[in-house]
Amino acid sequence: MSSVAVAKKKGFGATLWDYLTTVDHKKLGVMYLLAGTLFFAIAGLEALLMRIQLMLPNNDFVSAGTFNELLTMHGTTMLFLAATPLLFGFMNAVVPLQIGARDVAFPFLNSLGFWLFFLGAIFLHLSFFLGGAPDAGWTSYASLSLYSPGHGIDFYVLGLQISGAGTLISGINFIVTIITMRAPGMTFMRMPLFTWTTLITSALILFAFPPLTVALFFMLVDRMFGANFFDHVMGGNTIIWEHLFWIFGHPEVYILVLPAFGLFSEIIPVFARKRLFGYSSMVFATILIGFLGFMVWAHHMFTTGLGPTANAIFAVSTMAIAVPTGMKVFNWILTIWGGSIKVTVPMLYALGFIPSFVAGGVTGVMQATAPLDYQLHDSYFIVAHFHYVIVGGIVLAIFGSMHFYWPIMFNRALNETLGKWTFWFFFIGFHLTFFIQHFLGLMGMPRRVFTYQADQGWDLFNFISSIGAIMMAIGVLILVFNIIISAKSKPLNCRDYWGDGRSLEWALKTPVPFYNFKQTPLVRGYDPYWLEKHEGNEEGMTYAEPLGEIHMPNNSILPLVMSIGLFVAAFGALYHPDGEAWSIPVIIIGLAITVGAMIVRSMKDDLGFHVHVEEIVATEEQLYGKGGNK
């Protein structure tokens, strides 16, 4: 079995099969990145179509119904199917390397998490071709979604249910991996900050996704069987959907923004060439944000009539969460302060992120004031605030980290000049698009409207906003071009590409072998690679064990089969209310595929395989030439 490990597979079919069956965290990281990029492009196109529609007053570029579909799918895709998987891509690729592990705790589940996410996302997007996409906004408030005709909302409910299961599985996997698989000597207070933010994010996923699952289940039975959880005429309560959605939805913002904070906490010390300022306070701020993130959900509901007491409590807790976030900002600034700064593309994104994100945070504290929120609610001011947080925080982190971690993930580098072009187009376009929307909101323009009259004074600002959106699109196109060029460039085959790497992942030579570390590293302090370099250790690692056999997991097609089963069953559930005779058999067939794959998995003793010492030596020589990873 183990001899397969060294033999290089050739041919498109073999490579495709390898990716369909892989349980390797590095390959899954690449797949998350590719899938996330695909959905990012789709959601970006939807945004662009909306901005073209709003560019001029009384425009008829798209109809009102299409606009609602674009609006709903843009928000849903960006948050659930683009930002989340892109961040999962970095978590998968980087975290096991940072903690000195050979893979995640449950490689099989890692693969299952990816395929559930991907097929759920595909299912949701098939709605465009099968009778109309969801059209009740990305929050899908029950008062709208219950009465939405067609199958759009059913696609939303079933697609997110499948996709969310994948995210939940991945979250549990990372918690177990980080707690149980750290290299000897890596105490919690020596973990890199990206690993810390991944741990807290995964804990948030564990607690935030079940409320969403419950809400989607209620919506499913409401629409399919008339259960009336949310129908106020029949004794239900529409506001319950808002509570359930936002109990998930506000932590979801932190599920996205904490990994972004972690990524910038890796980038800034490398290019400021000094250790992260206030490490322990950064860790506690991360934990505090995670904790407080669950106590602020009703600030999305100030106008629903919860009463002054509830509004006051949630206003105070919302202002409180700004404190640990502020701590982080000051620590980043103090890390840069007095450093020997190298302005590379990742550092540009970090420098652009700090003021952009602070602007988003400031408008957030403004909205935490309940009386002011009454005025701003559902205006373009909210759209501006939200995008300053999401784009100014998360998208800049993803783009910066792509440049930063590309050498480790693909053994290639992205072009710096093209990277700078991307940054400036995207960054200027972003501020042009959303800064001006604060004023549109203050001038009274409501969000989610598909057109407006010429005499309301909103024409110029909407026009400028749309020009900004086009600039962002140009920036993204340059990035795509950069990625295509990098695929054709020659491999790097080097260690520590940026020259100032601090954590363990930079100690590995690229391309990283499938088993990551030939021997488990010994961690002797925070920033272990930096310590080893300064002590003159050429290899960048002290080992905790002699060279010996490595145990690795087998590939498996079962995760994909399980996910396909749920994908099939969802179609049966979708068409069941229409009275289709074939719907119940399709549900049964789909579930039978999934359960069958689970039974096969439980009956088979999958013990993995061992890589012998001579194979390790052969692999190292094949990758790095004579002498291996020295």
Side-chain angles (χ1 to χ4, degrees), residues 443-589:
M443 289 155 73
M445 182 169 173
R447 66 197 284 194
R448 306 190 179 104
V449 289
F450 88 107
T451 190
Y452 51 94
Q453 298 300 317
D455 56 0
Q456 291 177 282
W458 304 339
D459 314 15
L460 177 64
F461 283 9
N462 269 302
F463 187 80
I464 294 170
S465 192
S466 295
I467 295 294
I470 292 164
M471 283 182 71
M472 287 165 83
I474 293 168
V476 174
L477 287 173
I478 298 171
L479 179 63
V480 171
F481 179 61
N482 197 350
I483 288 169
I484 293 165
I485 291 177
S486 95
K488 299 193 181 310
S489 66
K490 71 177 208 298
L492 297 170
N493 298 342
C494 71
R495 181 187 284 129
D496 192 14
Y497 174 76
W498 298 105
D500 293 294
R502 309 184 73 86
S503 41
L504 269 179
E505 72 268 34
W506 299 106
L508 285 163
K509 229 173 171 178
T510 56
V512 180
F514 67 94
Y515 47 76
N516 296 352
F517 298 91
K518 66 175 193 283
Q519 291 152 270
T520 304
L522 178 69
V523 176
R524 298 191 297 156
Y526 177 64
D527 282 350
Y529 180 44
W530 184 259
L531 284 178
E532 299 292 345
K533 274 194 295 193
H534 274 260
E535 291 186 5
N537 181 347
E538 286 294 303
E539 214 170 330
M541 266 189 272
T542 303
Y543 296 114
E545 60 177 12
L547 191 60
E549 281 195 350
I550 296 173
H551 178 252
M552 295 301 288
N554 286 325
N555 284 1
S556 175
I557 192 71
L558 291 177
L560 177 56
V561 177
M562 288 179 194
S563 308
I564 287 171
L566 291 178
F567 182 77
V568 171
F571 276 102
L574 188 76
Y575 289 107
H576 178 59
D578 297 355
E580 299 285 1
W582 50 264
S583 64
I584 298 283
V586 169
I587 294 176
I588 292 167
I589 291 165

Side-chain angles (χ1 to χ4, degrees), residues 184-376:
M186 180 162 284
T187 58
F188 276 108
M189 294 311 278
R190 284 177 179 176
M191 289 195 322
L193 253 169
F194 182 51
T195 303
W196 258 114
T197 54
T198 301
L199 177 63
I200 302 300
T201 297
S202 303
L204 290 180
I205 287 170
L206 189 60
F207 291 110
F209 268 78
L212 178 71
T213 306
V214 170
L216 290 170
F217 178 74
F218 284 175
M219 179 70 75
L220 190 73
V221 290
D222 261 21
R223 280 184 63 94
M224 291 189 180
F225 310 112
N228 300 324
F229 281 109
F230 302 125
D231 191 344
H232 66 280
V233 181
M234 303 296 288
N237 187 340
T238 311
I239 300 296
I240 296 294
W241 167 271
E242 294 193 31
H243 277 295
L244 285 169
F245 185 87
W246 288 117
I247 289 170
F248 150 79
H250 202 85
E252 166 68 10
V253 176
Y254 295 106
I255 286 168
L256 296 175
V257 93
L258 283 177
F261 287 171
L263 288 164
F264 281 126
S265 301
E266 299 299 323
I267 290 170
I268 290 170
V270 168
F271 298 113
R273 290 189 257 193
K274 55 183 270 211
R275 101 172 245 171
L276 186 70
F277 185 91
Y279 170 80
S280 51
S281 67
M282 288 292 250
V283 170
F284 288 118
T286 306
I287 296 168
L288 202 54
I289 289 171
F291 181 70
L292 289 173
F294 282 97
M295 303 192 180
V296 296
W297 81 86
H299 66 208
H300 296 268
M301 300 166 60
F302 280 152
T303 57
T304 53
L306 298 175
T309 310
N311 280 6
I313 289 167
F314 282 101
V316 170
S317 61
T318 306
M319 291 175 187
I321 206 166
V323 176
T325 315
M327 283 162 62
K328 283 181 170 291
V329 172
F330 283 114
N331 280 338
W332 288 317
I333 292 170
L334 289 165
T335 305
I336 297 167
W337 190 270
S340 166
I341 303 165
K342 237 189 331 192
V343 183
T344 57
V345 172
M347 192 61 174
L348 264 181
Y349 279 104
L351 295 171
F353 150 78
I354 294 174
S356 309
F357 187 80
V358 168
V362 167
T363 53
V365 175
M366 288 168 69
Q367 281 157 55
T369 316
L372 179 60
D373 188 70
Y374 265 76
Q375 306 302 319
L376 301 175

Side-chain angles (χ1 to χ4, degrees), residues 17-77:
W17 179 251
D18 191 35
Y19 273 90
L20 292 177
T21 59
T22 189
V23 294
D24 180 354
H25 71 95
K26 296 179 290 299
K27 285 181 179 157
L28 286 165
V30 171
M31 286 153 74
Y32 268 117
L33 213 59
L34 291 173
T37 305
L38 168 71
F39 293 119
F40 183 85
I42 293 169
L45 183 64
E46 288 158 356
L48 206 55
L49 294 173
M50 286 192 288
R51 279 316 323 167
I52 293 170
Q53 163 63 19
L54 289 168
M55 205 163 181
L56 302 165
N58 296 314
N59 204 350
D60 58 357
F61 178 70
V62 295
S63 68
T66 309
F67 188 87
N68 283 346
E69 291 182 8
L70 290 172
L71 177 105
T72 304
M73 288 300 282
H74 165 72
T76 307
T77 308

